[in-house]
Amino acid sequence: MAIDDVAPRTGRVGYDGSRFGIGGLFLKTMLLSLLTLGIYNFWGRTQIRRAVWGATSVDGEPFEYTGTGKELFFGFLKAIAILIGVGAVLFGITFVMARLLRSGMVLQLAPLAFYLILSVLAVAAVYLATRYRLSRTLWRGIRFGLDGGSWSFVKGTIGYSLLAVATLGICLPLLRTWQARTIVNNARYGTVPFRMEARGATLIWPWVLTMLLAAPTLGVMLVWYRVREFRTWSSSISVAGLKLDSRLRLGDVLGPVILLAVITVVFFVALLLPTIFDFLEAWRTRMPPQHASTLSIVGIWIYVALAPTISFIVLGHPVLKASCETMAIGGALDLEAVAQSSDAGPRTGEGLFALLDGGGL
């Protein structure tokens, strides 16, 4: 349903963040995290979120992020304790079984079992991290929230993942759309629930086309699909009498994507040239190749450290701005239906998600 079909028209989403101001926060977080052995990262990430949330608005009313670095830090410590506990219990069980069965093969299965458990925990961490972030997000003083259980999210993800594998990836849109719909339909603004009606079946043929043409188009089709996916998801979301309608197009994001790809390729080619020349010379002279040059190794580490800053400045900022400015809102906000929820959310934040390198803000 187009936004023009919904009356009265309410407004649009806006984003007025500073590309280099927020990019500077990424750089500051990286530098101070190195100096503090990663401890500052939790406070730096909080600063970044407050800047991004505050720069994003609906009808001129900005969002507010109320999370703290302390919550993230203690959540991280809690996650470490959980993983240590899981590892200790798993090792104890396998050790006892190995003694009882008189077989060392059981001990060799312990790492595999641990990685399987980590995979399950990683899926649960996505849901729990979303719950924390929503509980620390306010608009007009009303807190967002996320209900439902992470275990149901894990079970559904496992089922749809097996389906995607069995169909050689063709049914991947069913998995991704189910995950998005589950999270959105369990989310709420105050006491008012969100509603998402998108179905992954509508994205299967675009995804099949993307798989066929991704290589010939050098990945452009992957960008096209993600834009279409975002538009399909967003335009099926409603809450408290409001309905979203995304008009994002490939041309709105393709330029920044290509620019980031070019910067990355040029940087790595420049860094690896000495090593490439060494291998070519070794091949020509039939001599053993030398080790990779120190310059190449140091340069790659520097780029990895700067990647979040570069990614936000080149890609994150323009894509976020385009996504917001092409998002229209229709309908009338039912203020009488919205009330503050008594659920303040978890006390600590997304430690497991951060420990398993979930990425993002």
Side-chain angles (χ1 to χ4, degrees):
M1 180 168 55
I3 204 71
D4 297 329
D5 299 331
V6 186
R9 186 167 177 167
T10 305
R12 293 184 177 275
V13 181
Y15 174 75
D16 60 358
S18 169
R19 181 196 299 260
F20 294 102
I22 299 177
L25 291 178
F26 275 94
L27 181 60
K28 172 186 173 184
T29 299
M30 183 273 293
L31 293 174
L32 292 181
S33 295
L34 289 176
L35 293 175
T36 60
L37 301 179
I39 294 178
Y40 181 78
N41 177 65
F42 306 102
W43 282 264
R45 208 180 329 153
T46 297
Q47 280 190 322
I48 293 171
R49 289 180 183 176
R50 286 176 180 169
V52 173
W53 267 241
T56 308
S57 62
V58 174
D59 293 342
E61 295 280 351
F63 289 90
E64 180 183 358
Y65 180 76
T66 61
T68 66
K70 181 180 177 181
E71 292 173 344
L72 296 180
F73 179 63
F74 280 105
F76 185 77
L77 295 180
K78 184 188 295 184
I80 291 178
I82 290 174
L83 289 187
I84 291 176
V86 169
V89 170
L90 185 61
F91 176 78
I93 292 174
T94 53
F95 180 79
V96 172
M97 291 183 62
R99 293 295 296 271
L100 292 175
L101 299 176
R102 299 179 182 274
S103 172
M105 288 293 296
V106 177
L107 289 176
Q108 297 178 12
L109 294 176
L112 176 61
F114 185 71
Y115 286 126
L116 289 175
I117 293 173
L118 280 185
S119 300
V120 172
L121 291 177
V123 176
V126 172
Y127 199 86
L128 296 174
T130 305
R131 170 173 290 166
Y132 171 78
R133 296 177 190 182
L134 285 177
S135 71
R136 299 306 190 269
T137 301
L138 280 70
W139 185 67
R140 290 186 173 179
I142 301 295
R143 184 172 49 246
F144 290 81
L146 182 66
D147 299 321
S150 58
W151 179 235
S152 298
F153 187 74
V154 169
K155 290 189 294 184
T157 296
I158 291 174
Y160 277 102
S161 296
L162 292 176
L163 177 61
V165 171
T167 58
L168 302 179
I170 291 177
C171 288
L172 185 62
L174 298 182
L175 165 64
R176 288 178 51 81
T177 303
W178 177 86
Q179 289 179 318
R181 190 173 62 247
T182 299
I183 290 176
V184 172
N185 285 341
N186 284 331
R188 51 181 165 71
Y189 173 56
T191 55
V192 179
F194 279 80
R195 178 66 181 169
M196 178 177 175
E197 300 175 353
R199 291 292 182 269
T202 62
L203 292 168
I204 286 183
W205 286 115
W207 174 241
V208 171
L209 183 64
T210 298
M211 290 195 296
L212 294 174
L213 298 179
T217 60
L218 301 179
V220 171
M221 282 298 294
L222 291 172
V223 182
W224 171 81
Y225 176 79
R226 290 302 297 270
V227 169
R228 177 157 183 166
E229 180 186 66
F230 174 80
R231 198 169 59 237
T232 300
W233 290 357
S234 301
S235 298
S236 72
I237 296 176
S238 59
V239 59
L242 300 180
K243 181 169 174 51
L244 304 184
D245 181 36
S246 173
R247 295 175 176 177
L248 188 67
R249 295 294 182 267
L250 176 63
D252 297 323
V253 301
L254 186 58
V257 171
I258 293 176
L259 179 58
L260 181 61
V262 169
I263 290 174
T264 302
V265 170
V266 169
F267 193 88
F268 272 87
V269 168
L271 286 174
L272 294 175
L273 273 179
T275 301
I276 294 173
F277 287 143
D278 288 341
F279 275 93
L280 290 176
E281 181 65 18
W283 177 80
R284 187 183 67 83
T285 60
R286 300 296 191 270
M287 297 291 291
Q290 300 179 5
H291 295 294
S293 69
T294 303
L295 177 62
S296 298
I297 296 175
V298 173
I300 290 174
W301 277 108
I302 291 176
Y303 185 83
V304 170
L306 292 175
T309 303
I310 297 172
S311 296
F312 178 82
I313 292 175
V314 177
L315 180 63
H317 173 85
V319 169
L320 180 56
K321 188 175 182 65
S323 300
C324 289
E325 294 182 349
T326 56
M327 184 74 70
I329 304 174
L333 180 62
D334 186 0
L335 292 174
E336 294 184 357
V338 180
Q340 185 68 279
S341 171
S342 58
D343 182 9
R347 293 183 179 181
T348 57
E350 59 189 59
L352 195 58
F353 186 75
L355 184 60
L356 298 178
D357 195 23
L361 293 179

